[in-house]
Amino acid sequence: KAGVTQTPRYLIKTRGQQVTLSCSPISGHRSVSWYQQTPGQGLQFLFEYFSETQRNKGNFPGRFSGRQFSNSRSEMNVSTLELGDSALYLCASSPWGTSNTGELFFGEGSRLTVL
Amino acid sequence: DAKTTQPPSMDCAEGRAANLPCNHSTISGNEYVYWYRQIHSQGPQYIIHGLKNNETNEMASLIITEDRKSSTLILPHATLRDTAVYYCIVSAYSGAGSYQLTFGKGTKLSVIP
């Protein structure tokens, strides 16, 4: 069974640009969560999508957005990039969402560098 | 959300048991304790979770105190490949059937030959 696939793995952008990251969950999983990891702040929750609906959101500015498609694939977008957006962006899938009886399956991440 | 406290780092000799402690004194009755680990440059990996009973799987054992205010993750025979950052997380219900995992700083476990 294929794992969670994130693309691209590495990318470099400049301040003010926008970026779109993609995540393909494990087949049959309907929930996709996104996390940002930086050396200073650690792993921080961005948002979760379940059946194409955002049902949970972390404390990030509106420049960070996402969506989920009918096949459960998800994309996240960051507009007007800032230097502080440089981070590893991780996607995690789960069949039931981050429920008390489930676990999250993480991808390898997309490493974004903003110059 | 219940907060967790973990030591920033620990060493363990290869082949010995690694015991990683976690304090979660404000945990609620319906909150689970999850353990994940992250090996350098990889995504976090689920290890184990539990509510109040001790749990064991092929990777580790989870011991939760009777008052549920602390827990210990046990890797019975640590190998060099167990060197990683280990996160203890208490799940919080965020409404609409969703739970949000809040990762702390974790414990950097170094397994020494």
Side-chain angles (χ1 to χ4, degrees):
Chain A
K1 200 173 191 180
V4 177
T5 304
Q6 292 188 244
T7 57
R9 289 294 312 279
Y10 303 91
L11 67 166
I12 299 173
K13 294 285 188 178
T14 57
R15 279 181 298 175
Q17 287 187 311
Q18 72 157 9
V19 66
T20 299
L21 308 177
S22 179
C23 173
S24 293
I26 292 172
S27 178
H29 286 193
R30 296 167 60 191
S31 168
V32 173
S33 300
W34 288 89
Y35 287 80
Q36 181 198 63
Q37 186 171 31
T38 60
Q41 298 298 319
L43 269 158
Q44 293 186 286
F45 173 78
L46 280 157
F47 28 66
E48 180 203 4
Y49 287 86
F50 182 83
S51 294
E52 302 179 65
T53 300
Q54 184 185 90
R55 66 175 183 179
N56 202 0
K57 188 176 190 301
N59 188 27
F60 277 81
R63 299 187 296 109
F64 293 81
S65 63
R67 59 177 175 170
Q68 187 180 34
F69 302 95
S70 59
N71 63 357
S72 294
R73 190 178 71 84
S74 176
E75 289 181 347
M76 68 161 284
N77 183 275
V78 187
S79 62
T80 319
L81 284 166
E82 302 176 359
L83 295 179
D85 297 332
S86 294
L88 180 66
Y89 289 87
L90 290 156
C91 165
S93 78
S94 147
W96 309 284
T98 49
S99 71
N100 274 340
T101 57
E103 64 186 81
L104 294 181
F105 297 81
F106 283 85
E108 296 293 304
S110 292
R111 184 166 294 282
L112 170 66
T113 301
V114 182
L115 302 177
Chain B
D1 296 359
K3 297 286 190 271
T4 62
T5 303
Q6 300 177 255
S9 64
M10 292 182 63
D11 291 339
C12 177
E14 188 178 17
R16 304 296 294 269
N19 297 282
L20 292 92
C22 179
N23 287 319
H24 31 78
S25 59
T26 61
I27 192 171
S28 300
N30 63 346
E31 289 180 317
Y32 281 61
V33 179
Y34 283 85
W35 283 84
Y36 281 77
R37 73 179 182 183
Q38 187 174 24
I39 297 170
H40 184 62
S41 297
Q42 298 182 18
Q45 176 190 25
Y46 166 84
I47 301 172
I48 197 167
H49 75 281
L51 182 63
K52 55 184 177 182
N53 297 320
N54 297 338
E55 303 288 343
T56 296
N57 62 20
E58 64 278 4
M59 288 183 67
S61 294
L62 175 60
I63 309 297
I64 302 175
T65 58
E66 191 169 345
D67 62 8
R68 304 213 318 127
K69 293 185 177 182
S70 66
S71 61
T72 300
L73 178 74
I74 301 173
L75 307 178
H77 305 288
T79 70
L80 298 179
R81 285 178 293 184
D82 292 322
T83 293
V85 177
Y86 287 77
Y87 297 97
C88 169
I89 302 157
V90 172
S91 67
Y93 183 66
S94 304
S98 172
Y99 291 83
Q100 174 178 320
L101 297 187
T102 301
F103 288 79
K105 299 291 187 184
T107 296
K108 175 76 168 76
L109 175 68
S110 298
V111 180
I112 302 167

